[in-house]
Amino acid sequence: MENQEVKPLILVTNDDGILAPGLRALVEVAQSIGEVIVVAPDSPQSGMGHAITIHKPLRLTPVRAFEVITAYECSGTPVDCVKLAINVISKNRPFDLCVSGINHGSNASINIIYSGTLSAAMEASLDGINSIGFSLLDYEFDADFQPAKPFVRRICEHRLQHNGDGANLLNVNIPTSPIKGIKLCRQGEARWVEEFQEGSDPRGKSYYWLTGRFDDSDKETDTDLYALEHGFISVVPSMHDLTHYTVMDQLKSIEI
Ligand code: MN
């Protein structure tokens, strides 16, 4: 007799697109834990944040990118992928976990607000689904995700075991090997100092290409930036509520 236990249903998505090796690594981990459905963008969508598609139709195409796993590529953004997964593909069975990534590149600190990886996870968390965004500090296409996999698995299993504890969105960043362990952190303060390289297109018109320098002024030891710098995986519990609660009292006088 086969094991009758119902496995957790896991949605896997990303922002680097269905062909990204980081997605494959995450699928392999998810597959060792539960039943997996993949819905990922058909093209790279890094930096799309929480963007949604509202002025054109969305396409959802079944693909055989992974053996024995239900997988779709979507013409939209990472958040579109999650919305379609929840409301169309698996509308009759809720997901037990949503994992996004593993992103090629850091989403620590301020990067979370631009990140399609984290926004996909956040979108699922709005529906009450335990959600995790995973990112590796290596932007290369052929980055080595192998050392991260046992840690990714441990974090996924932890969230499945503690479902309903309120921590339903985690931003997890992973240093390159050797990985020393896992630290619970706050989001470090940092900002991008923007620079635009100006150029001229073949028709003689100016264009601007965004480049930037990461300015991490926060030197405290409880941040994700500090943990990563010292070889630890950073786990930051996050939330969609951007209310600045600590200034509510000072602002009271704005009311009439
Ligand atoms: Mn990305």
Side-chain angles (χ1 to χ4, degrees), residues 189-201:
E189 282 290 336
R191 65 186 197 114
W192 281 96
V193 181
E194 314 290 10
E195 281 157 33
F196 284 94
Q197 271 185 23
E198 189 175 354
S200 182
D201 74 16

Side-chain angles (χ1 to χ4, degrees), residues 102-108 111 134-140 143-145 172-177 224-225 227-229 232-234:
I102 300 172
N103 190 59
H104 293 239
S106 171
N107 277 314
N111 293 314
F134 290 101
S135 306
L136 181 75
L137 271 63
D138 188 340
Y139 290 90
E140 297 300 325
D144 183 10
F145 290 92
V172 176
N173 282 271
I174 305 164
T176 51
S177 191
D224 50 1
L225 297 169
L228 291 159
E229 206 175 297
F232 287 86
I233 290 175
S234 63

Side-chain angles (χ1 to χ4, degrees), residues 15-16 46 103:
D15 76 355
D16 296 322
S46 293
N103 190 59

